[in-house]
Amino acid sequence: VGVVPGTPSGPPLGIFKDVVWSEIEVTLGGDWSLLFYTDGLIEATVGGGPDLLGTEGLLALVHEHGGIHLDRLIERVIELNGDSLSDDLATVLISRAASGNGGR
């Protein structure tokens, strides 16, 4: 579990016309999962204070739950944020289990 290194950054999708995004290649292997999310996930505050969850906090939550479990992840982020969010929160998980382990 980790963040893809060297990923390009830019404005949010759909905000500005004619934005050009860079392509990157990522070798995934046999078993893999990709988590896509809106900024509301990593910009959620922790304990209602000024600190944001961030990608490091997101990775810590994934490790805490032993993997990516979307319902538990969202519930935990809302809990950490003081049961209220100031931004949208959406996630999409795409996985492939080539080894026949039944998915994630």
Side-chain angles (χ1 to χ4, degrees):
V1 175
V3 176
V4 176
T7 53
S9 180
L13 295 174
I15 300 293
F16 303 107
K17 286 184 164 186
D18 303 322
V19 173
V20 178
W21 287 89
S22 303
E23 293 181 17
I24 62 168
E25 284 191 35
V26 178
T27 302
L28 298 174
D31 293 350
W32 52 265
S33 294
L34 292 174
L35 177 64
F36 299 91
Y37 52 86
T38 60
D39 63 344
L41 182 65
I42 59 172
E43 291 178 359
T45 59
V46 178
D51 295 329
L52 301 181
L53 180 65
T55 52
E56 294 81 17
L58 175 58
L59 286 171
L61 290 178
V62 169
H63 287 291
E64 176 183 309
H65 292 288
I68 301 171
H69 305 280
L70 292 182
D71 290 339
R72 283 189 255 161
L73 180 65
I74 292 170
E75 287 171 5
R76 186 72 173 114
V77 168
I78 292 171
E79 179 183 294
L80 286 171
N81 202 63
D83 292 327
S84 65
L85 296 172
S86 60
D87 198 354
D88 65 319
L89 192 158
T91 59
V92 174
L93 179 65
I94 301 173
S95 297
R96 178 176 185 255
S99 62
N101 63 10
R104 297 179 201 257

